[in-house]
Amino acid sequence: MRKIPTNSPTPAARKPDLTLDLAGPHVTPGAASQQRLYQALCHAIVGGIVKPGEPLPPSRALARQSGFRRNAVTTAYERLIADGFAVATVGSGTFVAARIPEQASTPRRTKIALEPPQHSALSLGCTHIDERALQRFRAFAGRRLRAFGPEHLHYGDPRGSRELRVAIADHLLSARGLRCDPDQIMLASGTLHALRIVLSAILKAGDQVWCEDPGYPAARRAIEHCGYRPVSVPVDASGMLVARGRSAAHLARAAYVTPSHQFPLGVQMSMPRRLELLDWAKDAGAFVFEDDYDSEFRYDGAPLLSLAGIDHLRRVIYMGTFAKTLFPGLRIGYCALPEQLIGPVTAARAALDRFPGTLMEGAVADMLNSGAFAANLRKARKLYREARDLLASTLATASAGELTVPVPSQGLHLVARLDPSTDPAVAAEAKAAAGVGGWLLAETYHRARPLPGFVLGFSGHPGPQLVASAERLAKASLAALRATRRARRPVRIGAA
């Protein structure tokens, strides 16, 4: 062991005992004594309790003060010297280094401003699962855990378990008219995760992607974050204006659409527009991402044929999720791929995060195969229809007709609109005053002129809470409108 100076300064140079914090968060509980002493000394040096160039206490003195053995002090000093915190001179002692390593500086706690997820009434993305369905899911999950097998001890198929992919393929055929082989399905942790993986496999940095305007902001952010260029394409009553997309970016390599229930406006893409979009994809050698995020919740009429069903999965990538049909905490979504993309997308998935989690896949497959999934959907659909009607009628009545509330035939949200001539700031003021969840309609626009209004969720919220929140929002909207109209009223100047 290296000989460490014992620091025997002259009496005139002696300093009071060094203040050491041996119990703070910088010290690892239960660690060896030399490790805890080293951490406390580092904390004292970095914190400026002992300054650069000042002597550290003699090892005997520090041993008495700390209650540790002298060899623990010696070991701690050796490590300080090795790490550049201290220097030693035989005959003079051990001193704090004139310059401590930069990496030893106290890390600053960066304050990250993240908007917390909304859980209040009118928030989007909330769901309900029937108690019986939840009991069945618990039973399936418990059975799968008790039958824990070797498949959980090895890396799996990047696309996910074949059992769940087979169940999803059966569900898509019966519910969406989409025929696909289980090998064409890839599981992901959600729609955005699937979007990112597939984009990385088919595009290169800087490629253009058509996005609906207004549209789903999270998808646009994901596309942009991955290094691609979102191109805003306006939406009308028939869906995305394909001709406008061609003129704005005819060389785009992909398009992201919500054709069955456009987010947020709720319009359905017409058949002529769908065929026009598919013709563009074929001509351009591009692919269309179909986000079918809430098609299971259709309240009027038969389910619409998916875009991928019309295309037979040639140029369309179909994306779905169990976040709304079961619950978001599952973090299981999926996509159905054209055959030519199976290889490159599987390779991209393996490179990004190897493969999806396996523990819950079996339980979800059991839900689909047993009929429990379909039974829960029927009950949830009835519950959400009632919530939709309750929210729409409350908003229309409480706002004295100032809010136009089209009742959607599908989905888990509705749009409440103010007169188009109204400044969108009125809606922002009303929403803030009411203290409710949901989005401003203007938040979903990028380039198009935003319409004033609200995007409000009705799923997963108790009826009384929906009514109370809707009444607050309607009253706040009336108050904001009255204030705006008073401010615009011309001032009459009396006759002299």
Side-chain angles (χ1 to χ4, degrees), residues 293-322:
Y293 64 101
D294 62 6
S295 62
E296 289 90 352
F297 298 101
R298 185 161 178 80
Y299 309 109
D300 304 306
L304 300 172
L305 185 63
S306 67
L307 189 64
I310 300 170
D311 175 63
H312 304 295
L313 281 178
R314 293 189 183 97
R315 309 302 306 180
V316 176
I317 297 143
Y318 179 93
M319 300 190 297
T321 176
F322 292 105

PDB file of all heavy atoms in Angstrom, residues 293-322:
ATOM      1  N   TYR A 293     -57.828   4.384 -35.169  1.00  0.00           N
ATOM      2  CA  TYR A 293     -57.684   4.442 -33.721  1.00  0.00           C
ATOM      3  C   TYR A 293     -58.937   4.149 -32.914  1.00  0.00           C
ATOM      4  O   TYR A 293     -58.860   3.815 -31.739  1.00  0.00           O
ATOM      5  CB  TYR A 293     -57.105   5.810 -33.317  1.00  0.00           C
ATOM      6  CG  TYR A 293     -58.018   6.982 -33.643  1.00  0.00           C
ATOM      7  CD1 TYR A 293     -58.788   7.573 -32.663  1.00  0.00           C
ATOM      8  CD2 TYR A 293     -58.090   7.491 -34.938  1.00  0.00           C
ATOM      9  CE1 TYR A 293     -59.620   8.644 -32.957  1.00  0.00           C
ATOM     10  CE2 TYR A 293     -58.913   8.555 -35.241  1.00  0.00           C
ATOM     11  CZ  TYR A 293     -59.678   9.126 -34.257  1.00  0.00           C
ATOM     12  OH  TYR A 293     -60.503  10.186 -34.554  1.00  0.00           O
ATOM     13  N   ASP A 294     -60.133   4.303 -33.498  1.00  0.00           N
ATOM     14  CA  ASP A 294     -61.345   4.080 -32.696  1.00  0.00           C
ATOM     15  C   ASP A 294     -62.480   3.438 -33.493  1.00  0.00           C
ATOM     16  O   ASP A 294     -63.654   3.617 -33.175  1.00  0.00           O
ATOM     17  CB  ASP A 294     -61.829   5.396 -32.075  1.00  0.00           C
ATOM     18  CG  ASP A 294     -62.218   6.442 -33.121  1.00  0.00           C
ATOM     19  OD1 ASP A 294     -62.223   6.112 -34.318  1.00  0.00           O
ATOM     20  OD2 ASP A 294     -62.511   7.593 -32.736  1.00  0.00           O
ATOM     21  N   SER A 295     -62.131   2.664 -34.517  1.00  0.00           N
ATOM     22  CA  SER A 295     -63.165   2.120 -35.402  1.00  0.00           C
ATOM     23  C   SER A 295     -64.082   1.132 -34.696  1.00  0.00           C
ATOM     24  O   SER A 295     -65.204   0.897 -35.144  1.00  0.00           O
ATOM     25  CB  SER A 295     -62.498   1.433 -36.599  1.00  0.00           C
ATOM     26  OG  SER A 295     -61.704   0.337 -36.157  1.00  0.00           O
ATOM     27  N   GLU A 296     -63.628   0.529 -33.601  1.00  0.00           N
ATOM     28  CA  GLU A 296     -64.478  -0.435 -32.887  1.00  0.00           C
ATOM     29  C   GLU A 296     -65.688   0.225 -32.249  1.00  0.00           C
ATOM     30  O   GLU A 296     -66.654  -0.448 -31.889  1.00  0.00           O
ATOM     31  CB  GLU A 296     -63.669  -1.165 -31.803  1.00  0.00           C
ATOM     32  CG  GLU A 296     -62.642  -2.144 -32.339  1.00  0.00           C
ATOM     33  CD  GLU A 296     -61.299  -1.524 -32.585  1.00  0.00           C
ATOM     34  OE1 GLU A 296     -61.188  -0.279 -32.491  1.00  0.00           O
ATOM     35  OE2 GLU A 296     -60.331  -2.262 -32.863  1.00  0.00           O
ATOM     36  N   PHE A 297     -65.626   1.555 -32.095  1.00  0.00           N
ATOM     37  CA  PHE A 297     -66.719   2.263 -31.430  1.00  0.00           C
ATOM     38  C   PHE A 297     -67.545   3.027 -32.467  1.00  0.00           C
ATOM     39  O   PHE A 297     -67.481   4.247 -32.568  1.00  0.00           O
ATOM     40  CB  PHE A 297     -66.160   3.195 -30.345  1.00  0.00           C
ATOM     41  CG  PHE A 297     -65.427   2.445 -29.275  1.00  0.00           C
ATOM     42  CD1 PHE A 297     -64.043   2.389 -29.268  1.00  0.00           C
ATOM     43  CD2 PHE A 297     -66.120   1.755 -28.295  1.00  0.00           C
ATOM     44  CE1 PHE A 297     -63.362   1.683 -28.301  1.00  0.00           C
ATOM     45  CE2 PHE A 297     -65.444   1.035 -27.315  1.00  0.00           C
ATOM     46  CZ  PHE A 297     -64.070   0.998 -27.319  1.00  0.00           C
ATOM     47  N   ARG A 298     -68.315   2.262 -33.227  1.00  0.00           N
ATOM     48  CA  ARG A 298     -69.233   2.847 -34.202  1.00  0.00           C
ATOM     49  C   ARG A 298     -70.646   2.661 -33.671  1.00  0.00           C
ATOM     50  O   ARG A 298     -71.051   1.561 -33.316  1.00  0.00           O
ATOM     51  CB  ARG A 298     -69.067   2.191 -35.573  1.00  0.00           C
ATOM     52  CG  ARG A 298     -69.923   2.855 -36.629  1.00  0.00           C
ATOM     53  CD  ARG A 298     -69.440   2.539 -38.029  1.00  0.00           C
ATOM     54  NE  ARG A 298     -70.291   3.147 -39.046  1.00  0.00           N
ATOM     55  CZ  ARG A 298     -70.222   4.427 -39.419  1.00  0.00           C
ATOM     56  NH1 ARG A 298     -69.313   5.216 -38.876  1.00  0.00           N
ATOM     57  NH2 ARG A 298     -71.029   4.912 -40.332  1.00  0.00           N
ATOM     58  N   TYR A 299     -71.406   3.760 -33.616  1.00  0.00           N
ATOM     59  CA  TYR A 299     -72.710   3.744 -32.959  1.00  0.00           C
ATOM     60  C   TYR A 299     -73.878   3.687 -33.935  1.00  0.00           C
ATOM     61  O   TYR A 299     -74.987   3.329 -33.551  1.00  0.00           O
ATOM     62  CB  TYR A 299     -72.851   4.990 -32.072  1.00  0.00           C
ATOM     63  CG  TYR A 299     -71.671   5.183 -31.149  1.00  0.00           C
ATOM     64  CD1 TYR A 299     -70.757   6.218 -31.345  1.00  0.00           C
ATOM     65  CD2 TYR A 299     -71.435   4.301 -30.107  1.00  0.00           C
ATOM     66  CE1 TYR A 299     -69.664   6.385 -30.516  1.00  0.00           C
ATOM     67  CE2 TYR A 299     -70.338   4.456 -29.270  1.00  0.00           C
ATOM     68  CZ  TYR A 299     -69.459   5.498 -29.486  1.00  0.00           C
ATOM     69  OH  TYR A 299     -68.376   5.646 -28.670  1.00  0.00           O
ATOM     70  N   ASP A 300     -73.660   4.059 -35.180  1.00  0.00           N
ATOM     71  CA  ASP A 300     -74.739   4.083 -36.167  1.00  0.00           C
ATOM     72  C   ASP A 300     -74.277   3.388 -37.440  1.00  0.00           C
ATOM     73  O   ASP A 300     -73.296   3.815 -38.058  1.00  0.00           O
ATOM     74  CB  ASP A 300     -75.144   5.529 -36.501  1.00  0.00           C
ATOM     75  CG  ASP A 300     -75.536   6.305 -35.248  1.00  0.00           C
ATOM     76  OD1 ASP A 300     -76.412   5.834 -34.514  1.00  0.00           O
ATOM     77  OD2 ASP A 300     -74.942   7.378 -35.010  1.00  0.00           O
ATOM     78  N   GLY A 301     -74.978   2.330 -37.830  1.00  0.00           N
ATOM     79  CA  GLY A 301     -74.654   1.654 -39.070  1.00  0.00           C
ATOM     80  C   GLY A 301     -73.536   0.644 -38.916  1.00  0.00           C
ATOM     81  O   GLY A 301     -72.925   0.500 -37.853  1.00  0.00           O
ATOM     82  N   ALA A 302     -73.264  -0.043 -40.011  1.00  0.00           N
ATOM     83  CA  ALA A 302     -72.220  -1.075 -40.018  1.00  0.00           C
ATOM     84  C   ALA A 302     -70.834  -0.434 -40.027  1.00  0.00           C
ATOM     85  O   ALA A 302     -70.668   0.695 -40.488  1.00  0.00           O
ATOM     86  CB  ALA A 302     -72.391  -1.966 -41.250  1.00  0.00           C
ATOM     87  N   PRO A 303     -69.828  -1.142 -39.511  1.00  0.00           N
ATOM     88  CA  PRO A 303     -68.457  -0.604 -39.552  1.00  0.00           C
ATOM     89  C   PRO A 303     -68.024  -0.324 -40.990  1.00  0.00           C
ATOM     90  O   PRO A 303     -68.376  -1.048 -41.912  1.00  0.00           O
ATOM     91  CB  PRO A 303     -67.625  -1.732 -38.934  1.00  0.00           C
ATOM     92  CG  PRO A 303     -68.589  -2.532 -38.125  1.00  0.00           C
ATOM     93  CD  PRO A 303     -69.895  -2.443 -38.836  1.00  0.00           C
ATOM     94  N   LEU A 304     -67.263   0.748 -41.158  1.00  0.00           N
ATOM     95  CA  LEU A 304     -66.783   1.110 -42.486  1.00  0.00           C
ATOM     96  C   LEU A 304     -65.638   0.196 -42.899  1.00  0.00           C
ATOM     97  O   LEU A 304     -64.831  -0.237 -42.073  1.00  0.00           O
ATOM     98  CB  LEU A 304     -66.298   2.560 -42.476  1.00  0.00           C
ATOM     99  CG  LEU A 304     -67.330   3.616 -42.096  1.00  0.00           C
ATOM    100  CD1 LEU A 304     -66.648   4.963 -41.934  1.00  0.00           C
ATOM    101  CD2 LEU A 304     -68.412   3.699 -43.153  1.00  0.00           C
ATOM    102  N   LEU A 305     -65.560  -0.097 -44.190  1.00  0.00           N
ATOM    103  CA  LEU A 305     -64.442  -0.876 -44.707  1.00  0.00           C
ATOM    104  C   LEU A 305     -63.164  -0.046 -44.560  1.00  0.00           C
ATOM    105  O   LEU A 305     -63.141   1.142 -44.870  1.00  0.00           O
ATOM    106  CB  LEU A 305     -64.681  -1.222 -46.179  1.00  0.00           C
ATOM    107  CG  LEU A 305     -63.640  -2.138 -46.843  1.00  0.00           C
ATOM    108  CD1 LEU A 305     -63.632  -3.506 -46.165  1.00  0.00           C
ATOM    109  CD2 LEU A 305     -63.936  -2.281 -48.323  1.00  0.00           C
ATOM    110  N   SER A 306     -62.130  -0.684 -44.078  1.00  0.00           N
ATOM    111  CA  SER A 306     -60.875   0.045 -43.873  1.00  0.00           C
ATOM    112  C   SER A 306     -60.222   0.373 -45.208  1.00  0.00           C
ATOM    113  O   SER A 306     -60.464  -0.281 -46.232  1.00  0.00           O
ATOM    114  CB  SER A 306     -59.921  -0.791 -43.021  1.00  0.00           C
ATOM    115  OG  SER A 306     -59.505  -1.938 -43.735  1.00  0.00           O
ATOM    116  N   LEU A 307     -59.378   1.391 -45.180  1.00  0.00           N
ATOM    117  CA  LEU A 307     -58.604   1.751 -46.380  1.00  0.00           C
ATOM    118  C   LEU A 307     -57.696   0.595 -46.783  1.00  0.00           C
ATOM    119  O   LEU A 307     -57.537   0.290 -47.967  1.00  0.00           O
ATOM    120  CB  LEU A 307     -57.789   3.010 -46.073  1.00  0.00           C
ATOM    121  CG  LEU A 307     -57.076   3.699 -47.233  1.00  0.00           C
ATOM    122  CD1 LEU A 307     -58.080   4.237 -48.240  1.00  0.00           C
ATOM    123  CD2 LEU A 307     -56.211   4.848 -46.690  1.00  0.00           C
ATOM    124  N   ALA A 308     -57.114  -0.077 -45.773  1.00  0.00           N
ATOM    125  CA  ALA A 308     -56.241  -1.220 -46.058  1.00  0.00           C
ATOM    126  C   ALA A 308     -57.029  -2.369 -46.683  1.00  0.00           C
ATOM    127  O   ALA A 308     -56.490  -3.124 -47.499  1.00  0.00           O
ATOM    128  CB  ALA A 308     -55.560  -1.684 -44.777  1.00  0.00           C
ATOM    129  N   GLY A 309     -58.318  -2.508 -46.295  1.00  0.00           N
ATOM    130  CA  GLY A 309     -59.154  -3.547 -46.880  1.00  0.00           C
ATOM    131  C   GLY A 309     -59.434  -3.293 -48.347  1.00  0.00           C
ATOM    132  O   GLY A 309     -59.474  -4.227 -49.159  1.00  0.00           O
ATOM    133  N   ILE A 310     -59.619  -2.025 -48.705  1.00  0.00           N
ATOM    134  CA  ILE A 310     -59.820  -1.666 -50.115  1.00  0.00           C
ATOM    135  C   ILE A 310     -58.542  -1.921 -50.910  1.00  0.00           C
ATOM    136  O   ILE A 310     -58.566  -2.415 -52.041  1.00  0.00           O
ATOM    137  CB  ILE A 310     -60.229  -0.186 -50.225  1.00  0.00           C
ATOM    138  CG1 ILE A 310     -61.532   0.066 -49.468  1.00  0.00           C
ATOM    139  CG2 ILE A 310     -60.362   0.241 -51.682  1.00  0.00           C
ATOM    140  CD1 ILE A 310     -61.871   1.536 -49.322  1.00  0.00           C
ATOM    141  N   ASP A 311     -57.417  -1.590 -50.298  1.00  0.00           N
ATOM    142  CA  ASP A 311     -56.110  -1.679 -50.964  1.00  0.00           C
ATOM    143  C   ASP A 311     -55.528  -3.094 -50.932  1.00  0.00           C
ATOM    144  O   ASP A 311     -54.581  -3.388 -51.658  1.00  0.00           O
ATOM    145  CB  ASP A 311     -55.155  -0.702 -50.250  1.00  0.00           C
ATOM    146  CG  ASP A 311     -53.740  -0.777 -50.756  1.00  0.00           C
ATOM    147  OD1 ASP A 311     -53.521  -0.473 -51.937  1.00  0.00           O
ATOM    148  OD2 ASP A 311     -52.846  -1.141 -49.961  1.00  0.00           O
ATOM    149  N   HIS A 312     -56.093  -3.972 -50.062  1.00  0.00           N
ATOM    150  CA  HIS A 312     -55.571  -5.333 -49.866  1.00  0.00           C
ATOM    151  C   HIS A 312     -54.110  -5.318 -49.407  1.00  0.00           C
ATOM    152  O   HIS A 312     -53.312  -6.177 -49.800  1.00  0.00           O
ATOM    153  CB  HIS A 312     -55.717  -6.172 -51.148  1.00  0.00           C
ATOM    154  CG  HIS A 312     -57.118  -6.235 -51.662  1.00  0.00           C
ATOM    155  ND1 HIS A 312     -58.160  -6.836 -50.974  1.00  0.00           N
ATOM    156  CD2 HIS A 312     -57.672  -5.741 -52.804  1.00  0.00           C
ATOM    157  CE1 HIS A 312     -59.281  -6.724 -51.659  1.00  0.00           C
ATOM    158  NE2 HIS A 312     -59.022  -6.056 -52.775  1.00  0.00           N
ATOM    159  N   LEU A 313     -53.786  -4.310 -48.588  1.00  0.00           N
ATOM    160  CA  LEU A 313     -52.448  -4.197 -47.997  1.00  0.00           C
ATOM    161  C   LEU A 313     -51.338  -4.209 -49.048  1.00  0.00           C
ATOM    162  O   LEU A 313     -50.330  -4.906 -48.911  1.00  0.00           O
ATOM    163  CB  LEU A 313     -52.208  -5.309 -46.971  1.00  0.00           C
ATOM    164  CG  LEU A 313     -52.821  -5.119 -45.587  1.00  0.00           C
ATOM    165  CD1 LEU A 313     -52.541  -6.312 -44.695  1.00  0.00           C
ATOM    166  CD2 LEU A 313     -52.317  -3.846 -44.910  1.00  0.00           C
ATOM    167  N   ARG A 314     -51.524  -3.384 -50.082  1.00  0.00           N
ATOM    168  CA  ARG A 314     -50.451  -3.225 -51.072  1.00  0.00           C
ATOM    169  C   ARG A 314     -49.609  -1.979 -50.763  1.00  0.00           C
ATOM    170  O   ARG A 314     -48.390  -2.057 -50.703  1.00  0.00           O
ATOM    171  CB  ARG A 314     -51.050  -3.123 -52.474  1.00  0.00           C
ATOM    172  CG  ARG A 314     -51.725  -4.398 -52.963  1.00  0.00           C
ATOM    173  CD  ARG A 314     -52.094  -4.301 -54.436  1.00  0.00           C
ATOM    174  NE  ARG A 314     -52.804  -5.485 -54.900  1.00  0.00           N
ATOM    175  CZ  ARG A 314     -54.133  -5.581 -54.993  1.00  0.00           C
ATOM    176  NH1 ARG A 314     -54.889  -4.551 -54.654  1.00  0.00           N
ATOM    177  NH2 ARG A 314     -54.705  -6.694 -55.417  1.00  0.00           N
ATOM    178  N   ARG A 315     -50.303  -0.841 -50.593  1.00  0.00           N
ATOM    179  CA  ARG A 315     -49.598   0.410 -50.299  1.00  0.00           C
ATOM    180  C   ARG A 315     -50.005   0.998 -48.948  1.00  0.00           C
ATOM    181  O   ARG A 315     -49.510   2.058 -48.567  1.00  0.00           O
ATOM    182  CB  ARG A 315     -49.882   1.469 -51.376  1.00  0.00           C
ATOM    183  CG  ARG A 315     -49.689   1.046 -52.804  1.00  0.00           C
ATOM    184  CD  ARG A 315     -48.304   0.560 -53.124  1.00  0.00           C
ATOM    185  NE  ARG A 315     -47.226   1.472 -52.780  1.00  0.00           N
ATOM    186  CZ  ARG A 315     -45.941   1.208 -52.981  1.00  0.00           C
ATOM    187  NH1 ARG A 315     -45.591   0.054 -53.531  1.00  0.00           N
ATOM    188  NH2 ARG A 315     -45.013   2.064 -52.653  1.00  0.00           N
ATOM    189  N   VAL A 316     -50.889   0.321 -48.216  1.00  0.00           N
ATOM    190  CA  VAL A 316     -51.402   0.847 -46.945  1.00  0.00           C
ATOM    191  C   VAL A 316     -50.832   0.062 -45.777  1.00  0.00           C
ATOM    192  O   VAL A 316     -50.778  -1.174 -45.801  1.00  0.00           O
ATOM    193  CB  VAL A 316     -52.949   0.797 -46.904  1.00  0.00           C
ATOM    194  CG1 VAL A 316     -53.466   1.264 -45.543  1.00  0.00           C
ATOM    195  CG2 VAL A 316     -53.539   1.671 -48.003  1.00  0.00           C
ATOM    196  N   ILE A 317     -50.399   0.783 -44.753  1.00  0.00           N
ATOM    197  CA  ILE A 317     -49.955   0.202 -43.485  1.00  0.00           C
ATOM    198  C   ILE A 317     -51.053   0.507 -42.470  1.00  0.00           C
ATOM    199  O   ILE A 317     -51.339   1.674 -42.183  1.00  0.00           O
ATOM    200  CB  ILE A 317     -48.616   0.821 -43.033  1.00  0.00           C
ATOM    201  CG1 ILE A 317     -47.532   0.491 -44.061  1.00  0.00           C
ATOM    202  CG2 ILE A 317     -48.232   0.329 -41.655  1.00  0.00           C
ATOM    203  CD1 ILE A 317     -46.556   1.605 -44.281  1.00  0.00           C
ATOM    204  N   TYR A 318     -51.693  -0.529 -41.967  1.00  0.00           N
ATOM    205  CA  TYR A 318     -52.834  -0.370 -41.066  1.00  0.00           C
ATOM    206  C   TYR A 318     -52.350  -0.397 -39.614  1.00  0.00           C
ATOM    207  O   TYR A 318     -51.609  -1.296 -39.212  1.00  0.00           O
ATOM    208  CB  TYR A 318     -53.834  -1.499 -41.304  1.00  0.00           C
ATOM    209  CG  TYR A 318     -55.052  -1.466 -40.410  1.00  0.00           C
ATOM    210  CD1 TYR A 318     -56.219  -0.839 -40.814  1.00  0.00           C
ATOM    211  CD2 TYR A 318     -55.028  -2.077 -39.159  1.00  0.00           C
ATOM    212  CE1 TYR A 318     -57.340  -0.803 -39.993  1.00  0.00           C
ATOM    213  CE2 TYR A 318     -56.141  -2.054 -38.330  1.00  0.00           C
ATOM    214  CZ  TYR A 318     -57.284  -1.412 -38.752  1.00  0.00           C
ATOM    215  OH  TYR A 318     -58.383  -1.389 -37.930  1.00  0.00           O
ATOM    216  N   MET A 319     -52.794   0.592 -38.805  1.00  0.00           N
ATOM    217  CA  MET A 319     -52.360   0.666 -37.409  1.00  0.00           C
ATOM    218  C   MET A 319     -53.567   0.672 -36.477  1.00  0.00           C
ATOM    219  O   MET A 319     -54.552   1.380 -36.715  1.00  0.00           O
ATOM    220  CB  MET A 319     -51.530   1.932 -37.178  1.00  0.00           C
ATOM    221  CG  MET A 319     -50.271   2.000 -38.039  1.00  0.00           C
ATOM    222  SD  MET A 319     -49.151   3.341 -37.559  1.00  0.00           S
ATOM    223  CE  MET A 319     -50.192   4.757 -37.893  1.00  0.00           C
ATOM    224  N   GLY A 320     -53.482  -0.142 -35.415  1.00  0.00           N
ATOM    225  CA  GLY A 320     -54.543  -0.211 -34.420  1.00  0.00           C
ATOM    226  C   GLY A 320     -53.949  -0.319 -33.029  1.00  0.00           C
ATOM    227  O   GLY A 320     -52.731  -0.458 -32.860  1.00  0.00           O
ATOM    228  N   THR A 321     -54.808  -0.284 -32.009  1.00  0.00           N
ATOM    229  CA  THR A 321     -54.322  -0.292 -30.640  1.00  0.00           C
ATOM    230  C   THR A 321     -55.359  -0.899 -29.703  1.00  0.00           C
ATOM    231  O   THR A 321     -56.560  -0.874 -29.991  1.00  0.00           O
ATOM    232  CB  THR A 321     -53.987   1.137 -30.174  1.00  0.00           C
ATOM    233  OG1 THR A 321     -53.598   1.109 -28.798  1.00  0.00           O
ATOM    234  CG2 THR A 321     -55.192   2.065 -30.303  1.00  0.00           C
ATOM    235  N   PHE A 322     -54.886  -1.446 -28.589  1.00  0.00           N
ATOM    236  CA  PHE A 322     -55.773  -1.926 -27.523  1.00  0.00           C
ATOM    237  C   PHE A 322     -55.921  -0.886 -26.411  1.00  0.00           C
ATOM    238  O   PHE A 322     -56.531  -1.158 -25.389  1.00  0.00           O
ATOM    239  CB  PHE A 322     -55.226  -3.230 -26.930  1.00  0.00           C
ATOM    240  CG  PHE A 322     -55.292  -4.394 -27.880  1.00  0.00           C
ATOM    241  CD1 PHE A 322     -54.145  -4.862 -28.496  1.00  0.00           C
ATOM    242  CD2 PHE A 322     -56.501  -5.001 -28.175  1.00  0.00           C
ATOM    243  CE1 PHE A 322     -54.200  -5.930 -29.385  1.00  0.00           C
ATOM    244  CE2 PHE A 322     -56.568  -6.062 -29.066  1.00  0.00           C
ATOM    245  CZ  PHE A 322     -55.416  -6.527 -29.671  1.00  0.00           C
TER     246      PHE A 322
END
